Amino acid sequence: MMKAPVWFSSFWQQRNQSERRTLTLAAIALVALVGYQFVWSPMQQAVQRAHDRLAQAEQLAAFTAQAKKALMQAGPKSAQPSADSPMLWVEQAARTVGIEQQLVQRQPDGDDRVQLKFAAVPFDLLLRWLAQANDAGLSVQSANITPKNGDSSDAAGLVDAEITLAKRAAAS
């Protein structure tokens, strides 16, 4: 057994039984508090972070499954180039699919290209619209699609997207 330092032994002997009991209880409470602060609390925070990562992974899996389902429903179709300009087609198709309100920016880039920005658009509708663009002879030159972050379930399935479409050359 370890021997207490001389100063502590002297201090302890000078205390009466009631003071020793109080100091012992205070030491036990301090050890419990330090244990909670430096052991239990960090473990609980790590568990919460792991739970949050799992929830995000499950949300991403559901998002991916929804995208796969939408792509499968779109199915392969013959791509015939459209006689319309990309800008005109974008306007008409967005209205037809019901995403004209989410199409917040349209920027023509020459006669054969258009740059688009969508805000909080339903992912499945965006995929359906892109499949129609492919069928109309437009190809995706670039796309940046990010899930809409939100604390509520209102943002589930919504994305922000920046897409550049270009007219494909007619196959001969």
Side-chain angles (χ1 to χ4, degrees), residues 6-98:
V6 174
W7 64 268
F8 182 76
S9 203
S10 169
F11 170 79
W12 192 255
Q13 294 302 323
Q14 292 174 1
R15 304 291 155 234
N16 65 35
Q17 186 64 25
S18 174
E19 290 175 326
R20 287 181 193 170
R21 187 176 22 247
T22 302
L23 288 172
T24 301
L25 290 175
I28 291 170
L30 181 63
V31 166
L33 183 63
V34 167
Y36 175 81
Q37 184 66 30
F38 292 108
V39 178
W40 184 256
S41 183
M43 284 192 322
Q44 288 298 323
Q45 290 171 356
V47 167
Q48 184 61 43
R49 284 192 303 270
H51 178 61
D52 291 346
R53 283 194 308 271
L54 176 62
Q56 287 176 343
E58 288 172 343
Q59 190 177 26
L60 180 60
F63 184 78
T64 304
Q66 184 181 15
K68 181 179 178 183
K69 182 180 175 185
L71 283 172
M72 295 303 276
Q73 287 176 348
K77 296 177 183 163
S78 64
Q80 299 296 324
S82 169
D84 299 331
S85 74
M87 191 69 166
L88 180 60
W89 182 88
V90 163
E91 295 291 334
Q92 292 171 346
R95 197 172 309 111
T96 301
V97 174

